[in-house]
Amino acid sequence: SNGGGSDSIELTLPAISVNAGDDILLVRDTNAIHLYFGSCFNSFEVIIPVLTTGAAAVSQNGNDAIELFKNGTVVETFGDINVDGTGTPWEYADSWAYKDATGSVTFSGGNWIIGPVGCTIGSNSTYTSSCPYPHCTQTTFESNIKFNDDIFIYPNPFNEIIETNADLTDVFVTDISGKNISLNFSNRQIFTENLSKGIYSLHLKSQNKSYVKKIIKQ
């Protein structure tokens, strides 16, 4: 808003089911942020691409406040919608803001940790920046792709083929509308040519056990 007050609802999020505590990442360029976050990208339970052009484009920068609406009512605000954030404690230009109880910057919805302004400039990944994103650790990828200690899939997000170490007996996905879609599989590979780009729940059966994991087709 650049200090101009509320801009009302500018982006409507998809009607999908998430769990309390899920990490949700909105991205303008999925490939670019995947490369920058590296293994950490896969630790976000929900990843939502957003438009960068047109009337519905998301174009805020590091000095804009952000409002979260529910049923047309503001339920949380980051920053001050009546203030240009440049030079404020909540400016996040070329940096990040991370909601955490230990944060020193407080708004109505809770406390935030704010990275130093400009701390990501010149870096090619969050791990090589002077301010790694708090959610990201070098071990997040392995823990995220595993269903349990024995079953894992990769890559996620994916383009066409998903690999697994499991001997599969059945595979299907559920889309955001709740529709089940069967997938072909062979030799520990899952083929997704019949899926459109989007977010799905992947259901695997192996050795009389069932596993479910959120996946994203790019």
Side-chain angles (χ1 to χ4, degrees):
S1 64
N2 283 324
S6 178
D7 290 326
S8 191
I9 298 174
E10 298 180 280
L11 171 68
T12 300
L13 300 176
I16 59 176
S17 176
V18 298
N19 299 315
D22 279 357
D23 295 287
I24 303 172
L25 180 65
L26 275 63
V27 296
R28 294 176 177 141
D29 186 327
T30 303
N31 290 330
I33 201 67
H34 191 185
L35 288 172
Y36 189 78
F37 272 161
S39 60
C40 180
F41 184 86
N42 296 280
S43 68
F44 291 88
E45 285 80 8
V46 179
I47 299 170
I48 302 174
V50 297
L51 296 176
T52 57
T53 59
V58 174
S59 60
Q60 99 281 354
N61 54 36
N63 61 11
D64 290 330
I66 300 172
E67 294 176 297
L68 178 65
F69 290 79
K70 180 180 180 181
N71 297 327
T73 300
V74 176
V75 294
E76 186 170 351
T77 302
F78 172 87
D80 185 336
I81 61 173
N82 297 307
V83 173
D84 183 316
T86 303
T88 67
W90 53 270
E91 182 183 2
Y92 54 100
D94 294 310
S95 183
W96 44 258
Y98 183 75
K99 190 175 183 181
D100 188 87
T102 65
S104 60
V105 180
T106 304
F107 302 109
S108 60
N111 295 352
W112 292 77
I113 302 170
I114 314 295
V117 172
C119 65
T120 65
I121 294 175
S123 62
N124 56 16
S125 82
T126 189
Y127 301 115
T128 60
S129 73
S130 63
C131 56
Y133 187 56
H135 179 66
C136 297
T137 68
Q138 293 286 9
T139 60
T140 51
F141 176 69
E142 182 179 7
S143 63
N144 181 68
I145 63 173
K146 286 186 176 181
F147 288 87
N148 60 16
D149 289 338
D150 302 314
I151 305 298
F152 61 85
I153 62 166
Y154 60 93
N156 187 25
F158 62 95
N159 292 314
E160 292 296 336
I161 297 176
I162 301 172
E163 306 274 355
T164 179
N165 67 332
D167 294 319
L168 303 172
T169 57
D170 188 30
V171 179
F172 68 94
V173 296
T174 304
D175 65 16
I176 60 175
S177 71
K179 178 183 177 181
N180 291 339
I181 305 171
S182 296
L183 298 179
N184 293 321
F185 59 93
S186 176
N187 296 325
R188 299 187 176 184
Q189 290 186 321
I190 303 167
F191 305 100
T192 68
E193 64 275 2
N194 59 327
L195 296 182
S196 301
K197 294 180 180 179
I199 300 172
Y200 300 87
S201 292
L202 174 66
H203 301 255
L204 302 182
K205 287 187 178 180
S206 176
Q207 298 179 353
N208 297 320
K209 294 182 179 180
S210 298
Y211 308 91
V212 181
K213 177 66 183 177
K214 284 185 180 178
I215 57 172
I216 300 166
K217 183 165 185 178
Q218 298 185 127

